[in-house]
Amino acid sequence: MALILTFLGKGEADRSAIAAAAAHRCASDGKRVLFLSQDVGPSVDILLGAELSDQPQSIAPNLSVMHLQTAKLLEKSWDELKRQEAQYLKTPFFKEVYGQELGVLPGMDQALALNALRDYDASGDYDVIVYDGDGQLNTLRMFGMPEILSWYLRRFRGVFANSDLGRTLSPFIQPVASAVLNVDWSGDIFSSQPANQANNMLDQGTAAVTNPQRVAAYLVTTNAPGAIATAKYLWGAAQQVGLTVGGVVLSQAYDAGVVGDTFSPLSVTAVSSQSNTSLTDLAVMLPSFNDASTAPAPMTVDLQARQVKLFLPGFTKQQVKLTQYGPEVTIEAGDQRRNVVLPSALQGKPVAGAKFQDGYLIITFGN
């Protein structure tokens, strides 16, 4: 399993340069690195001095690079869908539709990129994967997909099972499913093999994103007020999807002190990057990217105190809303929403109080 790094911030050129330099830094430390770019333009090719293709290519010792091309990723995923369909259905109906005919729906770029990340991570060929996406909310939505999709599956299962439609159709679902499919789908259809595979994949994805030793983000900003405000907002938004922010790279600056304690308690590394600074020189200025586990965790649980603490920097008390639905609590901050499944010891216990203090939402549960 690889460490997946991504970089968040305003200003594509700086962010992509820092991401590419980080890949060089990790490769120079002897780690096998894959740099994945989802930039649709030629700027990253110019930055790396190589024409990226849709397959990994080595450009330096321990360093491979590639371009995530959405159309080709869609074709690959569509072929896999048809293979799965042929396995489970007696009469497949997707077989006459080809990936080359499909258009890319909004949001599919991120879903396909996440699937590619999963595949390259599972390959075992790399120690570090650097993902260079848009560096803003689309990137965060991508990393938040496993948790969100898992919530939809849980909610759909509960709503369907308790609905009149579910109770009416349940006596007929299993025999119909068994007649149509090549496998036995007796019992709960949501506990079938395909559903279990999906649930396991989503659970593994959520566990990886919330583990800073597996996935971590770093903020990239200049000392411009707008860039700092954006970076701080993205910090809080990353925490909302469970993604730990490990530190800050202050670009085009010689002194990290110019941002004061804006990003406290994160470490801030200043790099004096200029247009003529090589990636090799820039890589030497960067941190080691091994300290994400020491950064504030997005969520901590204290069972003895019956408390759940969520770290939400960049938000105010007025921007945070809390609701409780059975074994889960939902936290809204800005335009981000997170559904937290409570530990079994806290499930069924009502929220006794909540306060927003020093960037933390502290939720206390009753007996």
Side-chain angles (χ1 to χ4, degrees):
M1 294 185 294
L3 169 64
I4 298 173
L5 296 175
T6 194
F7 293 83
L8 308 172
K10 185 177 181 179
E12 179 185 351
D14 277 340
R15 190 184 58 252
S16 290
I18 297 298
H24 275 272
R25 171 61 187 265
C26 294
S28 68
D29 290 341
K31 298 173 182 175
R32 300 168 300 165
V33 181
L34 175 63
F35 178 85
L36 295 177
S37 172
Q38 207 166 12
D39 187 349
V40 296
S43 58
V44 175
D45 295 39
I46 297 172
L47 181 67
L48 292 169
E51 184 176 348
L52 275 64
S53 71
D54 64 334
Q55 296 296 320
Q57 57 177 313
S58 177
I59 63 168
N62 298 322
L63 177 59
S64 296
V65 298
M66 69 170 291
H67 181 206
L68 292 176
Q69 298 180 13
T70 303
K72 292 189 177 182
L73 291 175
L74 178 58
E75 291 177 20
K76 179 181 177 182
S77 296
W78 190 256
D79 288 342
E80 174 62 18
L81 172 64
K82 290 198 290 186
R83 188 188 70 79
Q84 292 283 345
E85 180 196 39
Q87 180 179 352
Y88 292 110
L89 294 180
K90 293 179 178 179
T91 309
F93 51 87
F94 285 139
K95 65 179 182 179
E96 299 301 328
V97 180
Y98 299 92
Q100 297 91 331
E101 301 176 291
L102 301 175
V104 179
L105 297 173
M108 192 176 288
D109 301 68
Q110 287 73 43
L112 292 169
L114 183 63
N115 189 52
L117 274 172
R118 184 179 63 85
D119 286 344
Y120 285 112
D121 176 39
S123 72
D125 294 334
Y126 307 101
D127 302 309
V128 177
I129 298 175
V130 177
Y131 171 70
D132 183 33
D134 77 337
Q136 300 196 48
L137 290 181
N138 282 335
T139 293
L140 294 178
R141 291 189 183 103
M142 181 192 79
F143 283 107
M145 278 182 182
E147 185 176 78
I148 293 296
L149 291 175
S150 179
W151 178 86
Y152 274 107
L153 285 178
R154 293 195 305 272
R155 288 292 292 158
F156 182 79
R157 175 177 180 170
V159 169
F160 181 81
N162 295 324
S163 68
D164 290 340
L165 178 63
R167 285 190 290 269
T168 301
L169 293 181
S170 59
F172 305 99
I173 289 178
Q174 284 83 13
V176 170
S178 297
V180 174
L181 303 173
N182 290 322
V183 295
D184 180 14
W185 253 15
S186 59
D188 184 354
I189 63 169
F190 289 96
S191 297
S192 64
Q193 182 180 352
N196 277 336
Q197 289 174 348
N199 279 315
N200 290 338
M201 186 183 300
L202 293 174
D203 289 343
Q204 291 169 7
T206 300
V209 169
T210 55
N211 181 355
Q213 295 181 327
R214 293 280 289 109
V215 184
Y218 284 78
L219 303 176
V220 178
T221 183
T222 65
N223 59 7
I228 291 174
T230 298
K232 192 167 184 180
Y233 175 82
L234 292 171
W235 184 15
Q239 302 290 94
Q240 265 290 75
V241 300
L243 176 62
T244 299
V245 173
V248 183
V249 177
L250 183 61
S251 181
Q252 303 176 19
Y254 294 89
D255 181 10
V258 297
V259 296
D261 60 356
T262 301
F263 297 101
S264 178
L266 296 182
S267 62
V268 180
T269 303
V271 295
S272 56
S273 59
Q274 303 295 331
S275 58
N276 60 348
T277 303
S278 70
L279 289 180
T280 303
D281 291 339
L282 185 57
V284 175
M285 307 177 200
L286 295 177
S288 64
F289 302 110
N290 293 323
D291 57 353
S293 59
T294 64
M299 184 179 75
T300 56
V301 178
D302 185 343
L303 292 179
Q304 185 174 0
R306 298 193 303 278
Q307 286 185 339
V308 173
K309 296 176 65 176
L310 294 106
F311 186 47
L312 300 172
F315 295 109
T316 64
K317 178 180 179 180
Q318 291 71 27
Q319 292 175 300
V320 178
K321 180 182 177 182
L322 168 68
T323 52
Q324 183 177 20
Y325 298 101
E328 303 182 12
V329 291
T330 299
I331 296 94
E332 295 181 46
D335 65 349
Q336 298 285 98
R337 177 178 295 168
R338 184 178 186 187
N339 300 287
V340 177
V341 179
L342 298 172
S344 57
L346 297 179
Q347 290 183 10
K349 300 184 183 299
V351 173
K355 61 181 179 180
F356 193 77
Q357 180 179 335
D358 299 328
Y360 283 90
L361 174 64
I362 304 172
I363 310 168
T364 303
F365 294 86
N367 294 319

